[in-house]
Amino acid sequence: MTVTFEVSDGAERPTWVDDGGGLAWHVKAVIGYWRHPDLGRYRFVPGHRAEAQRWHLTVVGPLPGRPSLIGEQEVVLRTFGEGMSWYMDLG
């Protein structure tokens, strides 16, 4: 999952989400955001993955199970370490 960010009014926010397999979603709205309180010194504990960031979004693009149809849906993007891969869950 690739997430494209844009800086607007001094704040960074996601604008596009691409699954790397030909499907992409445009971010229509940011519903919520959470960041690990110690992200600057974030470290992995062997055998344990903790969430680093979470974005709750409204996106427009292919619908789950029917990628030929375009629609709006809520999703949650998560990453488990700074600079690591993003994972998308349906809202």
Side-chain angles (χ1 to χ4, degrees), residues 35-44 82:
R35 174 182 152 139
H36 191 284
D38 196 20
L39 190 59
R41 294 178 297 191
Y42 190 78
R43 290 189 171 62
F44 288 102
E82 198 167 16

Side-chain angles (χ1 to χ4, degrees), residues 20-39:
L23 300 178
W25 297 266
H26 169 71
V27 177
K28 182 176 177 181
V30 174
I31 299 168
Y33 173 72
W34 176 86
R35 174 182 152 139
H36 191 284
D38 196 20
L39 190 59

Side-chain angles (χ1 to χ4, degrees), residues 59-87:
V59 297
V60 176
L63 294 174
R66 306 214 40 206
S68 61
L69 296 178
I70 302 299
E72 186 175 296
Q73 60 188 319
E74 286 188 20
V75 299
V76 175
L77 289 178
R78 304 174 197 281
T79 186
F80 293 90
E82 198 167 16
M84 307 254 329
S85 296
W86 288 92
Y87 300 90

